[in-house]
Amino acid sequence: YRNFLFKIPIFKDLSLDVVEKIEQCIIRKEFTSSEVIFEENTIGDLIYIVYTGEVEIYKNYKKPNEKLLTVLSEGDIFGETSLFSKSERTATAVAKSDVILLGLKCEVFFNIFSSTPSEGVKIIQQLLFNTIQRLERTSKELASIYTISQVMVESVAQMEDIKNFLIKVSSEIVN
């Protein structure tokens, strides 16, 4: 898996020695389409990397208010919050297709942090970058929801006819 790992941003700047140690600790896991990888509100100690296939991440999976948060594909990392907190998983991961995942126990990363702190810093920087990107996407989505709700309130308050109301809402969704 060495060549694959070097293509992933979190590992690409690490030394060969460190990547080889990581490679030795990989736990290969295979899931079939629609199979749950882990559930929201469960404790986990594995960080996953998508090797092949796609994984969907859901909030409130199989509930009336289910929300698909994202779809992950080859090279994407998920479950990394377990590295920083022993708290429960914040979402459910489901195989969108047949998928092969590379799992790494959190202790693998802790060993890197303690044995080669400079390599650990590189890992943390990339994980923070991933987290910031996800937060930016969430912020944009929340801003859109807020804008749409403002249009709805304005339209109802001004008693515009339904056609104008729908035109405003649909133009906000498109933007």
Side-chain angles (χ1 to χ4, degrees):
Y1 302 110
R2 186 175 311 135
N3 291 335
F4 176 75
L5 292 175
F6 272 122
K7 292 178 187 175
I8 299 170
I10 191 173
F11 303 120
K12 71 178 174 103
D13 294 327
L14 299 180
S15 69
L16 178 60
D17 182 51
V18 169
V19 172
E20 285 175 344
K21 287 177 185 172
I22 291 169
E23 182 182 27
Q24 292 169 7
C25 298
I26 286 174
I27 302 165
R28 180 185 169 116
K29 293 190 162 248
E30 296 184 25
F31 296 87
T32 58
S33 180
S34 302
E35 190 175 354
V36 173
I37 298 161
F38 60 73
E39 293 183 5
E40 184 175 355
N41 300 320
T42 60
I43 304 291
D45 70 336
L46 282 178
I47 295 171
Y48 293 97
I49 305 162
V50 181
Y51 188 61
T52 63
E54 292 183 313
V55 174
E56 296 173 320
I57 305 296
Y58 288 93
K59 193 76 178 156
N60 301 314
Y61 183 63
K62 294 214 173 187
K63 294 180 181 172
N65 57 341
E66 173 181 290
K67 170 82 170 118
L68 175 63
L69 300 176
T70 192
V71 177
L72 305 172
S73 57
E74 183 180 308
D76 286 331
I77 295 175
F78 64 102
E80 70 275 13
T81 53
S82 63
L83 183 60
F84 303 107
S85 170
K86 295 291 180 201
S87 61
E88 298 172 336
R89 301 263 192 201
T90 58
T92 298
V94 180
K96 182 177 181 182
S97 61
D98 288 353
V99 66
I100 298 173
L101 303 176
L102 307 181
L104 289 165
K105 289 190 172 279
C106 294
E107 65 194 41
V108 172
F109 291 95
F110 297 143
N111 291 338
I112 293 169
F113 299 160
S114 63
S115 65
T116 52
S118 61
E119 300 289 82
V121 167
K122 293 175 188 176
I123 292 170
I124 296 294
Q125 286 174 327
Q126 283 299 318
L127 288 173
L128 285 173
F129 180 73
N130 285 351
T131 301
I132 289 168
Q133 284 184 318
R134 289 177 183 164
L135 287 172
E136 285 174 349
R137 282 195 300 268
T138 301
S139 293
K140 287 178 185 175
E141 185 175 318
L142 288 172
S144 294
I145 291 169
Y146 177 74
T147 301
I148 290 169
S149 68
Q150 282 183 312
V151 169
M152 291 172 70
V153 168
E154 286 175 19
S155 295
V156 170
Q158 295 174 7
M159 297 302 226
E160 292 183 356
D161 64 68
I162 192 69
K163 180 180 173 186
N164 289 336
F165 170 73
L166 292 174
I167 289 170
K168 273 189 172 183
V169 170
S170 64
S171 69
E172 286 297 325
I173 292 172
V174 171
N175 294 330

